[in-house]
Amino acid sequence: MRQQERLAGADFLRATACLLVLVHHLALRLDMRRIPDELGTAAQILRFGNFGVAIFFVLSGFLLAHPFWRALDDGRTMPSLRHYTIRRAARIAPGFWVAATVSFALSLTLLALPLTPELMLRYVSGLLFMSQWHWRTFFPVEADGPLWSIPFEATSYVLLPVCFFLLFRLPLLRQRPLLARFAWLCVIAGVLLAHLLILSVFSLDDIGRGWQYGLQGGAKEWMPRYNPIGFFAVFALGAFAAGVEGMLGRRPSFWFDAAALLALAVAGYRLVISPGGTPEAYGWLEIPYGFPIFPLAIATALVSLCHSQRLGRLLDNAPVRYIAKISFGIYIWQEIILISIQRLDPGSFGVSTDNVIIGWLQSCGLAAALVLLVASFSYHLLERPAIDLGNRLTSPQPNRATPFKVQISHHFN
């Protein structure tokens, strides 16, 4: 129970992240030329729901780094990489593979795309979690653009234990929390330098570059600023926040409630001032989504909510916890549903109505209901069984003479 209390607020931020991304993709289907002037600013802000991707990376780094920090601070050996790998694979691979396969089939049927070697290469590289390394394969499938970030996050899953391995190899860092956190800041600095090297060495030409050339043209527009190393810097900020959280006392404090509110306000402000800039909100070192202000604010909110007196529990209410539970399904299935609605009803999302806002809202309501329904089925029929299998493969076997029940917070699954 104490571990779950320490993670107060994580469900809220996970739910917020997936809903922001959904709002982003809904807003992309709103014809900005036809909306009333007084609603233009609000509509533009909705398009920056893509900041939800940054929340996911910070949150994943924060949650997955906890066991490594605890082991390092206690002077123990590094957590089992076998268990870590099995649980990560069980959590993301089945849902990702099924969504990618359904999207690939829809590309050939609903979108009527020809089966080309390049289309097949993108699909296979996605299934292998290797699509993130080149603009041609950046988007594994045509009918589910959001899947691009899953291989990016898989890279962070690999780099996290690699970087911690370096820390565990230095005996000086064991049971020295401050020194270990400073070492992690050095890791982040090294990652940022590697990102700068990628920007300078792997620049791309302008041939076929731009969203007017489809997803591959958009990928060429994003890269090399969108690269797995740069995104690991965002992930590593979350991991650093986990290290800070582990050094704080167990006793909740009202000051953490205030700090969390302030951090969430800063994150919200950074998002709402984004209209007028690039759609990707490139920040420092051309890392997207308001880096480093936005991810730092989210990381601060995570640490503060874990130790808040009331706010963390208030935000992690029952509806929010359920949205967080099915958040992965919301993320991987939303674009498939939105594209299907548009193809089956070309007049959807206000295209064929005089009142574009009303028509758009009606389609959004239908789409949101379908996304939640499909995500629920995805969680209970596909994701949860895989998670349970991963837990069984990695949980210690109970002693039959003294049976006991092990409870593991779902945050770490």
Side-chain angles (χ1 to χ4, degrees):
M1 182 64 69
R2 177 175 292 177
Q3 181 62 35
Q4 293 177 346
E5 289 175 356
R6 288 178 61 208
L7 296 176
D11 278 337
F12 167 74
L13 286 169
R14 189 189 302 278
T16 299
C18 74
L19 294 180
L20 278 175
V21 175
L22 176 59
V23 166
H24 166 70
H25 287 104
L26 291 172
L28 290 179
R29 286 160 171 84
L30 179 60
D31 189 347
M32 302 296 290
R33 299 167 298 180
R34 297 175 56 202
I35 64 175
D37 292 340
E38 60 272 18
L39 297 178
T41 300
Q44 289 288 350
I45 291 174
L46 293 180
R47 291 194 169 206
F48 286 90
N50 52 4
F51 275 60
V53 174
I55 299 178
F56 276 127
F57 273 80
V58 174
L59 181 61
S60 292
F62 180 79
L63 297 176
L64 295 179
H66 268 92
F68 293 95
W69 285 121
R70 287 198 298 271
L72 188 64
D73 292 343
D74 294 342
R76 293 183 279 114
T77 58
M78 189 168 167
S80 169
L81 293 184
R82 174 181 173 273
H83 290 184
Y84 174 85
T85 302
I86 290 174
R87 290 197 174 197
R88 286 296 86 210
R91 184 64 189 94
I92 67 169
F96 175 77
W97 285 338
V98 172
T101 301
V102 170
S103 178
F104 183 73
L106 288 178
S107 299
L108 304 177
T109 55
L110 194 62
L111 301 185
L113 297 177
L115 180 58
T116 62
E118 185 144 350
L119 201 67
M120 195 69 192
L121 173 65
R122 291 165 60 186
Y123 171 63
V124 173
S125 66
L127 295 185
L128 297 175
F129 297 101
M130 294 298 293
S131 58
Q132 67 275 39
W133 298 107
H134 198 278
W135 63 268
R136 288 187 177 276
T137 58
F138 186 100
F139 290 101
V141 285
E142 281 289 328
D144 201 350
L147 293 186
W148 69 266
S149 71
I150 307 302
F152 269 66
E153 194 157 353
T155 301
S156 292
Y157 294 160
V158 173
L159 292 178
L160 180 73
V162 168
C163 292
F164 267 111
F165 176 78
L166 299 176
L167 269 62
F168 275 86
R169 294 286 291 178
L170 299 174
L172 185 64
L173 302 181
R174 292 176 179 269
Q175 297 180 308
R176 291 179 174 86
L178 283 176
L179 194 58
R181 273 60 175 181
F182 176 76
W184 191 259
L185 288 177
C186 293
V187 168
I188 295 177
V191 171
L192 293 176
L193 288 175
H195 169 73
L196 284 176
L197 182 63
I198 290 172
L199 292 183
S200 62
V201 174
F202 295 101
S203 59
L204 301 175
D205 58 50
D206 292 329
I207 300 174
R209 185 176 186 175
W211 292 100
Q212 66 272 24
Y213 297 103
L215 287 184
Q216 283 186 300
K220 199 171 184 181
E221 175 72 26
W222 277 359
M223 295 189 86
R225 289 175 291 187
Y226 277 60
N227 68 78
I229 305 304
F231 273 80
F232 180 64
V234 180
F235 191 95
L237 283 179
F240 178 74
V244 172
E245 190 277 329
M247 295 176 62
L248 300 176
R250 296 283 190 267
R251 186 175 180 180
S253 169
F254 165 78
W255 293 108
F256 285 111
D257 292 70
L261 283 174
L262 179 60
L264 291 172
V266 170
Y269 178 74
R270 181 59 185 87
L271 189 155
V272 300
I273 66 171
S274 296
T278 62
E280 298 81 10
Y282 291 114
W284 189 47
L285 303 183
E286 297 193 85
I287 296 177
Y289 312 133
F291 183 86
I293 301 300
F294 185 79
L296 280 174
I298 295 300
T300 303
L302 273 168
V303 174
S304 302
L305 287 171
C306 286
H307 296 271
S308 62
Q309 282 188 340
R310 297 182 181 274
L311 187 60
R313 292 192 299 271
L314 178 66
L315 295 178
D316 283 352
N317 53 67
V320 165
R321 288 199 303 271
Y322 186 75
I323 294 296
K325 182 185 294 185
I326 64 171
S327 60
F328 187 66
I330 292 174
Y331 188 84
I332 63 177
W333 292 105
Q334 60 180 267
E335 188 69 4
I336 291 175
I337 293 171
L338 296 180
I339 287 179
S340 297
I341 291 175
Q342 284 184 296
R343 288 287 174 160
L344 297 175
D345 180 13
S348 59
F349 295 100
V351 172
S352 62
T353 60
D354 293 332
N355 193 326
V356 62
I357 297 296
I358 296 299
W360 178 76
L361 287 174
Q362 289 174 341
S363 295
C364 286
L366 172 63
L370 290 175
V371 168
L372 291 175
L373 180 63
V374 172
S376 296
F377 279 116
S378 176
Y379 178 79
H380 292 289
L381 300 180
L382 177 62
E383 299 165 43
R384 184 73 247 181
I387 293 171
D388 290 340
L389 176 60
N391 288 342
R392 287 196 298 271
L393 292 175
T394 57
S395 296
Q397 295 297 320
N399 188 325
R400 292 186 179 183
T402 57
F404 62 91
K405 182 179 180 180
V406 178
Q407 287 188 333
I408 301 177
S409 172
H410 73 272
H411 292 300
F412 291 100
N413 289 332

